[in-house]
Amino acid sequence: MSSFNRGVSKVEVTLKWDPSPRGEPDHDLDLIAATYTADTPGTPAYLVHFGSRSPDGTITLDRESRTGQGFGSDEEMTLELDRLGSAYHRVVVGVAIQQHAGRRTFGEIANPEVRLTEGYTELSENGFADVPDATAATFAEFTRDPTGTWHFHPALRGFDTDPQSFGALMGTA
């Protein structure tokens, strides 16, 4: 039975990109997860980003890079959805580009790629080619059904905003 039919429980999110060319300012991309309750579906109950974790430890940013240098993934996030409190019904995951040295878009970043897996099953992989003019993007949404089972929905949507404002916009339709 596929992961899509039985629901998802523990998801690994990895993000990688190539470093900026020599002499150019560093590219800094950040994974962000926003959790939502049924009472406030458009306003996040909390965000996990920039080296933080959820209050209950179910969503953690395990690795963070500010340059894209190194081998393999540059940032890693773990979402233990099966342990997330029953008040939470939705989690949206995205990436924001830090705008330290002026406006940067996904089209200006070399080889950005985000990958979602559950165990050895790849749920999604995206290179942001469909949102080249965006400075931030959501790429995954997880929703909990009435039985408590979590379901994955690919949700690529680009935004033109700074990382601080992105958290408030992630859950908008």
Side-chain angles (χ1 to χ4, degrees), residues 115-134:
R115 188 170 175 229
L116 284 84
T117 58
E118 182 181 33
Y120 295 107
T121 302
E122 183 174 291
L123 301 176
S124 177
E125 185 174 23
N126 197 302
F128 303 101
D130 291 338
V131 292
D133 297 327

Side-chain angles (χ1 to χ4, degrees), residues 20-31:
S20 59
R22 187 179 178 122
E24 296 286 323
D26 289 334
H27 300 153
D28 183 4
L29 282 66
D30 291 304
L31 285 171

Side-chain angles (χ1 to χ4, degrees), residues 31-94:
L31 285 171
I32 302 173
T35 59
Y36 300 88
T37 63
D39 298 339
T40 57
T43 304
Y46 62 83
L47 298 173
V48 175
H49 59 88
F50 315 127
S52 66
R53 61 181 241 161
S54 62
D56 59 4
T58 58
I59 302 174
T60 56
L61 187 57
D62 305 314
R63 179 183 217 183
E64 182 179 7
S65 172
R66 296 175 193 258
T67 64
Q69 293 178 330
F71 296 104
S73 60
D74 298 309
E75 298 214 356
E76 296 176 359
M77 182 178 278
T78 303
L79 296 93
E80 295 182 69
L81 299 168
D82 57 339
R83 291 186 46 232
L84 196 59
S86 61
Y88 303 105
H89 293 274
R90 186 170 151 221
V91 178
V92 177
V93 185

